[in-house]
Each structure stands twice: as C-alpha cells, then as structure tokens.
Amino acid sequence: MALFIPTYFSPISQYFEIIKSNSITFEMYDNYQKQSYRNRCYISNANGKLLLNIPVKYSRRKTQKRNKTKDILVENDFPWQNNHLKSLQNAYRSSPFYEFYEDELISIFSKKYTFLQDINIDTFLFVSEAIQISNSYSTTKKYITDTTGESDFRFLADIKKQSEKPLKKYFQVFENKYGFISNLSILDLLFAEGPNTTNFMLNQS
C-alpha cells in the first residue's frame, strides 16, 4: 500500500510515485498545514512560476486542538474557481493538449465545493483518468502511525520536502523565456504530453 495526502492538482513528484504504486490510500486524518500542496499548485505562465491558491477557512470544533485537513472548508466568497480557470487558459491554451482536457476542467471549476478534500479527490480522479491509470483508492479511518510494510509518501504534500529525483525536460510553453521549471503541477506535464504522460514518467531514469 502506498500512502498519500490528497493535494490540489498534485505536483509531478507525487504522480511519479502514484503511477508506480499498486494500491493507493489517501490519508484523511492528517493535521492541516498551511503553505502546502493541500490547497495550492504551481503552474508556468507568461510571468514565470504562478501560484494557484484555494482560499480556505476552518471548521470550528471546540473538541479539536488542531484542524484536520478533512474538515477544512473552502472559502467561496472569492471567485477562486473562475480565476484559476482563466489562469490555466491563459497559460496553456497554446500547449499541445490543453484543449483536449478543457471540458473536464471546466466541469471541476463549475462545481460548488464545501470541503477542500472533495476538490483534491476530484482533481485526482480527473488526472488519473486523463493519464490512464487506475483511479481506485481507499481512505484511512484514522491517522496512520505504523507504516510497516507500507510506502509512505505523505511528505510529498509538503512543499519543502520534495523528492530530489531529477525529471527529464519536456516541452514547456515559456521555457525559452524562463528556462525549464521542474516539479510544477501535473497539469503542466499533462498539457504537454497528453496520453503519453504516464509513459514519460515511467521512462525516467
């Protein structure tokens, strides 16, 4: 079993491990951490590396000292979905495969969400279908402390704890202007490689 934290259009480093895993389990009882991939992803646009951040708010439970990620609410008073979709359109409409996936993206950004975890699971389901891997998964019923016999990749939700495995270069729309930017959202690779995304990652040295 491979253990992951659901993140927002996860970085390539997380999918690099997902595609090699026989079974995927999502940790649902971790403590929420600010400035992590739980509510953000990075893409490349005409101005360089761009942060797409989902505004969140906390559910108020007096019995909890810390907020569990599963209880984090989306702050929908801000038009974040419209802003994220426009940012992706502006950044990737000239990439080889963006238009191929645009309708499914619009569906995600048109849906109203209450909990952050629901968005992250939906983005996982979208990507897993797009790159043609199994989208079956299980979820934890409590926080996993004993990882004996398991592959623990929960650290990949932390921006500061990414894998140091080098990734071969692929086409990036603005590479001539900013150079190749590594470990962006999986969307960056998907829009460049399309159905070949999984093979591209499997063929890494």
Side-chain angles (χ1 to χ4, degrees), residues 78-130:
F78 301 95
W80 68 270
Q81 288 173 292
N82 186 54
N83 292 342
H84 287 198
L85 179 59
K86 286 184 176 179
S87 294
L88 290 169
Q89 289 170 334
N90 292 335
Y92 294 111
R93 68 162 51 97
S94 63
S95 63
F97 290 97
Y98 173 78
E99 290 186 357
F100 189 77
Y101 302 106
E102 186 174 37
D103 288 345
E104 287 78 7
L105 282 175
I106 291 174
S107 178
I108 289 176
F109 289 117
S110 299
K111 183 177 178 180
K112 295 303 179 184
Y113 292 95
T114 300
F115 292 97
L116 176 65
Q117 287 287 53
D118 292 336
I119 300 172
N120 293 343
I121 293 296
D122 275 2
T123 64
F124 164 76
L125 293 174
F126 160 75
V127 173
S128 62
E129 181 177 354

Side-chain angles (χ1 to χ4, degrees), residues 11 23 25 27 34 41 44 48 53 70 97 103 108 124 148 156 168 175-176 178 181 187 196-197 201 203:
S23 63
T25 299
E27 176 63 76
K34 297 179 180 180
C41 69
S44 176
N53 184 73
K70 70 181 182 64
F97 290 97
D103 288 345
I108 289 176
F124 164 76
T148 303
L156 291 174
K168 291 181 180 179
E175 182 177 356
N176 290 338
Y178 296 105
I181 303 176
L187 293 178
N196 188 53
T197 298
M201 287 189 285
N203 289 331

Side-chain angles (χ1 to χ4, degrees), residues 96-185:
F97 290 97
Y98 173 78
E99 290 186 357
F100 189 77
Y101 302 106
E102 186 174 37
D103 288 345
E104 287 78 7
L105 282 175
I106 291 174
S107 178
I108 289 176
F109 289 117
S110 299
K111 183 177 178 180
K112 295 303 179 184
Y113 292 95
T114 300
F115 292 97
L116 176 65
Q117 287 287 53
D118 292 336
I119 300 172
N120 293 343
I121 293 296
D122 275 2
T123 64
F124 164 76
L125 293 174
F126 160 75
V127 173
S128 62
E129 181 177 354
I131 65 176
Q132 301 172 1
I133 61 173
S134 172
N135 59 13
S136 62
Y137 64 92
S138 60
T139 58
T140 60
K141 305 304 179 185
K142 61 181 181 178
Y143 185 75
I144 301 298
T145 55
D146 182 6
T147 57
T148 303
E150 301 171 3
S151 298
D152 189 352
F153 296 108
R154 290 176 292 185
F155 70 93
L156 291 174
D158 189 330
I159 293 174
K160 298 179 181 180
K161 297 180 180 179
Q162 294 304 292
S163 171
E164 296 182 356
K165 295 177 182 177
L167 184 70
K168 291 181 180 179
K169 289 185 177 181
Y170 56 89
F171 170 78
Q172 289 184 335
V173 177
F174 302 100
E175 182 177 356
N176 290 338
K177 188 175 182 180
Y178 296 105
F180 182 79
I181 303 176
S182 184
N183 202 34
L184 294 173
S185 166

Side-chain angles (χ1 to χ4, degrees), residues 3-121:
L3 192 59
F4 296 88
I5 289 174
T7 54
Y8 180 54
F9 286 122
S10 308
I12 294 170
S13 59
Q14 186 162 324
Y15 275 97
F16 186 83
E17 302 300 341
I18 285 175
I19 64 171
K20 296 186 296 182
S21 302
N22 292 325
S23 63
I24 297 169
T25 299
F26 283 129
E27 176 63 76
M28 305 301 283
Y29 287 85
D30 61 303
N31 291 325
Y32 181 72
Q33 297 178 24
K34 297 179 180 180
Q35 297 183 349
S36 72
Y37 288 118
R38 290 167 177 81
N39 72 319
R40 65 182 57 199
C41 69
Y42 290 91
I43 65 171
S44 176
N45 73 353
N47 295 314
K49 191 174 181 179
L50 176 67
L51 165 66
L52 299 182
N53 184 73
I54 300 175
V56 299
K57 55 187 177 181
Y58 308 110
S59 59
R60 300 191 179 278
R61 293 189 177 183
K62 295 181 181 180
T63 58
Q64 289 185 190
K65 293 182 179 180
R66 295 185 179 182
N67 292 285
K68 301 295 183 184
T69 303
K70 70 181 182 64
D71 296 324
I72 298 298
L73 305 173
V74 179
E75 179 55 85
N76 286 312
D77 288 341
F78 301 95
W80 68 270
Q81 288 173 292
N82 186 54
N83 292 342
H84 287 198
L85 179 59
K86 286 184 176 179
S87 294
L88 290 169
Q89 289 170 334
N90 292 335
Y92 294 111
R93 68 162 51 97
S94 63
S95 63
F97 290 97
Y98 173 78
E99 290 186 357
F100 189 77
Y101 302 106
E102 186 174 37
D103 288 345
E104 287 78 7
L105 282 175
I106 291 174
S107 178
I108 289 176
F109 289 117
S110 299
K111 183 177 178 180
K112 295 303 179 184
Y113 292 95
T114 300
F115 292 97
L116 176 65
Q117 287 287 53
D118 292 336
I119 300 172
N120 293 343
I121 293 296

